[in-house]
């Protein structure tokens, strides 16, 4: 069982590095083809970052106990939101996995095990499969993260489908994750928003949940908000879902929701606030709008999920959650049990974790990619027993 509460060293300072010198010629380009300084990384592989989907596995366990399909759908919807909540304020880039790299995670106390692998190099595709230790559920998917630089921001499109199977009910739910955008790459404080429509479909019953991750918009009023509804196969609205992906999610009857919104509109809502608001488009730096008050709970709502508070020292530890702190932990005796391709054995990630910014560079050198013939970063370490030497531009 992984138990550590902190990383071996605090986050490496980025103050002396300018990402603009690297990105100024790359506007509109796909960032997987651009060499980035390791200082802008965080000490986790993308395979480990994917395992953070499982931080709120208790929601899946809860869904497995519910007899009504609509009740199950609203908890699955809360899980889909919770699975991206760890991205809040996580502005460091995870290390790109090498082809054939793997990650295994077993959490007996939470009743699941997970394995992930880098299954393609061009394009870079990462796949994962998690399953209940009691054969209650399976959760699997693959991600092809497309990153683009747009001048002042980096946009991440996580192409790929998530599938959750509740085995007791012979149900399969699918969805895709929202878009993610990191603002102020060049100037100002980095901040993150997620936006886009997420459709969760129960392929067994025909039920559907449509969630709208709202962009900050004018004045930042909608920052972090998520709103949507659940409809049955006849397209009748059964529940309204609302909250923030950084905080919590609630469920309420559609009629109650509509009545509340009408009364809010009559009372003027937030019209006074809009006069002194903030626009995400204004200024040279897209300063993060002031976070609005916490979610206003509509009377009659049921709490579906609330985020786990981060440790007090999180800001000094790459804004990791308590769950993320444990993902690269190498316990005594674990090394002999792990596959030689496991992320935990990567010396570059381990070096960054202990605060050594120079050592990771020793494990890669520029050379000719044997698969493409182009100049690329080649792995020179020895922990892989497969004949894979090409690395997808980690630095």
């Amino acid at each position: 069982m992984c138990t550590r509460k902190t990383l071996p060293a605090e986050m490496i300072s980025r103050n002396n590095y300018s990402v603009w010198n690297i990105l100024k010629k790359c506007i509109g380009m796909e960032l997987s083809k651009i060499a980035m300084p390791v200082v802008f990384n965080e000490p986790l592989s993308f395979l480990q970052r994917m395992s953070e989907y499982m931080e709120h596995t208790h929601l899946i366990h809860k869904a497995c106990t519910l007899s009504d399909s609509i009740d199950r759908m609203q908890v699955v919807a809360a899980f889909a939101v919770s699975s991206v909540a760890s991205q809040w304020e996580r502005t460091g880039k995870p290390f790109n996995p090498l082809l054939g790299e793997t990650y295994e995670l077993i959490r007996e106390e939470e009743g699941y095990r997970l394995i992930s692998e880098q299954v393609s190099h061009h394009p870079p595709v990462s796949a994962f499969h998690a399953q209940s230790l009691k054969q209650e559920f399976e959760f699997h998917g693959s991600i092809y993260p497309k990153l683009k630089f747009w001048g002042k921001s980096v946009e991440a499109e996580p192409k790929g489908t998530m599938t959750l199977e509740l085995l007791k009910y012979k149900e399969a739910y699918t969805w895709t994750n929202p878009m993610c955008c990191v603002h102020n790459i060049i100037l100002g404080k980095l901040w993150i928003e997620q936006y886009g429509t997420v459709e969760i479909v129960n392929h067994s019953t025909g039920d559907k949940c449509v969630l709208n991750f709202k962009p900050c918009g004018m004045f930042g009023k909608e920052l972090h908000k998520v709103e949507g509804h659940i409809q049955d196969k006849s397209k009748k609205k059964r529940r309204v879902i609302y909250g923030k992906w950084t905080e919590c999610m609630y469920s309420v009857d559609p009629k109650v929701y509509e009545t509340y919104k009408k009364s809010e509109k009559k009372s003027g809502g937030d019209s006074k606030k809009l006069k002194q608001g903030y626009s995400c488009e204004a200024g040279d730096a897209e300063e993060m709008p002031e976070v609005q008050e916490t979610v206003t709970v509509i009377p009659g709502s049921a709490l579906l999920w609330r985020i786990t508070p981060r440790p007090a020292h999180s800001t000094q530890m790459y804004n990791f959650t308590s769950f993320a702190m444990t993902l690269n932990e190498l316990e005594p005796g674990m090394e002999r049990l792990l596959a030689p391709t496991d992320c935990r054995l990567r010396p570059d990630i381990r070096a960054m974790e202990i605060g050594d910014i120079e050592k990771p560079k020793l494990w890669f050198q520029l050379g000719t990619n044997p698969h493409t013939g182009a100049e690329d970063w080649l792995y020179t370490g020895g922990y892989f027993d497969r004949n894979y030497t090409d690395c997808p531009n980690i630095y």
Side-chain angles (χ1 to χ4, degrees), residues 271-286:
S271 58
K272 292 182 179 179
K273 292 182 182 179
L274 293 180
K275 293 180 181 179
Q276 301 181 34
Y278 168 80
S279 168
C280 284
E281 303 301 322
D284 293 329
E286 300 171 327

Side-chain angles (χ1 to χ4, degrees), residues 7 14 31 50 57 102 109 130 136 168-170 217 249 256 260 330 350:
L7 298 180
R14 300 168 182 162
L31 290 188
M50 282 201 309
T57 308
T102 61
E109 68 279 9
E136 295 176 326
K168 176 181 177 180
Y169 300 103
K170 298 180 180 179
M249 294 299 296
V256 174
Y260 178 83
L330 197 58
R350 185 66 57 190

Side-chain angles (χ1 to χ4, degrees), residues 46-47 50 97 116-120 124-128 141-145:
F46 183 72
L47 298 182
M50 282 201 309
S116 55
E117 181 176 356
Q118 189 71 4
V119 295
S120 174
V125 179
S126 307
F128 73 93
S142 60
I143 296 221
Y144 165 27

Side-chain angles (χ1 to χ4, degrees), residues 183-250:
H183 293 270
N184 290 344
I185 295 298
I186 308 305
L187 180 67
K189 182 181 179 181
L190 295 172
W191 60 279
I192 289 176
E193 66 171 330
Q194 298 196 83
Y195 47 80
T197 300
V198 173
E199 287 193 0
I200 306 169
V201 179
N202 182 334
H203 294 273
S204 300
T205 65
D207 299 335
K208 180 188 291 187
C209 179
V210 181
L211 295 174
N212 181 18
F213 284 70
K214 297 189 175 185
C216 75
M218 296 293 289
F219 309 102
K221 183 185 170 218
E222 305 295 321
L223 185 64
H224 304 326
K225 284 189 177 180
V226 181
E227 289 185 2
H229 66 273
I230 296 172
Q231 62 186 45
D232 58 26
K233 63 181 179 181
S234 65
K235 298 187 178 181
K236 179 182 177 180
K237 284 189 180 181
R238 301 291 298 275
R239 303 292 289 180
V240 169
I241 308 290
Y242 68 95
K244 290 184 177 181
W245 62 268
T246 56
E247 191 175 330
C248 57
M249 294 299 296
Y250 286 89

Side-chain angles (χ1 to χ4, degrees), residues 227 237 252-270 298-299:
E227 289 185 2
K237 284 189 180 181
V252 70
D253 181 89
K255 292 181 180 179
V256 174
Y257 180 80
E258 291 301 326
T259 300
Y260 178 83
K261 285 297 182 181
K262 286 179 181 178
S263 64
E264 186 183 50
K265 191 174 182 179
K266 286 181 181 179
S267 64
D270 293 321
I298 300 171

Side-chain angles (χ1 to χ4, degrees), residues 318-368:
Y318 301 90
N319 287 308
F320 279 8
T321 63
S322 296
F323 184 83
M325 296 279 190
T326 67
L327 295 179
N328 203 46
E329 184 175 3
L330 197 58
E331 297 179 276
M334 182 185 287
E335 189 169 351
R336 62 183 177 83
L337 301 174
L338 293 175
T341 52
D342 196 277
C343 304
R344 298 177 186 89
L345 303 179
R346 281 186 60 161
D348 51 347
I349 297 179
R350 185 66 57 190
M352 186 176 194
E353 185 182 76
I354 63 175
D356 188 342
I357 194 63
E358 294 300 326
K359 195 171 183 179
K361 301 173 184 176
L362 300 177
W363 293 89
F364 294 87
Q365 64 181 18
L366 279 172
T368 302

